[in-house]
Amino acid sequence: MPFLRRSAWASLRRYATSSPRSRLGATLSLDHFLQRGRVLSLYRTIIRATRRIPDPTTQRETRKFARDEFERHRGVTDIDHIRYLLSTGKTEWETMERYIDGL
């Protein structure tokens, strides 16, 4: 193409041959994908169960605490640490759930 300058031609070539960027970021491994599903399931369980808390203020505070904890650990990528956090979170939630059911 004679009407394109050399630098424009090089840019066009780089664009055409570069791999497409995913808007989702890096691809998850199967193990990370499965753990992500378990984490989301625990989060949904907690949010749904807070509806049983009779006091609206306590309900809001509990939801905020849960969300803040999940957000605080959002960047964790080590699979063993994710498993540890998931196990600890389930244990803490089971303790809290017994308290809620006793209200």
Side-chain angles (χ1 to χ4, degrees), residues 76-96:
V76 175
T77 57
D78 179 44
I79 201 70
D80 292 328
H81 193 197
I82 293 170
R83 285 187 184 120
Y84 168 77
L85 290 169
L86 191 56
S87 174
T88 304
K90 282 183 179 179
T91 304
E92 287 182 19
W93 174 246
E94 287 166 0
T95 303
M96 179 72 100

Side-chain angles (χ1 to χ4, degrees), residues 10-79:
S11 295
L12 184 61
R13 180 177 230 173
R14 254 192 322 273
Y15 176 77
T17 58
S18 67
S19 61
R21 293 184 193 169
S22 172
R23 64 188 168 102
L24 302 176
T27 305
L28 296 176
S29 69
L30 177 61
D31 208 9
H32 279 92
F33 178 77
L34 294 172
Q35 294 303 322
R36 180 179 180 270
R38 291 180 181 124
V39 169
L40 289 171
S41 175
L42 175 62
Y43 181 75
R44 286 186 200 111
T45 300
I46 292 169
I47 296 302
R48 283 186 195 121
T50 57
R51 295 178 193 153
R52 297 191 319 246
I53 299 173
D55 181 39
T57 304
T58 306
Q59 194 179 75
R60 270 192 312 275
E61 288 173 356
T62 305
R63 284 184 182 163
K64 182 175 177 356
F65 175 77
R67 181 179 173 101
D68 290 347
E69 283 299 300
F70 278 84
E71 284 291 332
R72 188 164 67 104
H73 298 291
R74 178 179 225 159
V76 175
T77 57
D78 179 44
I79 201 70

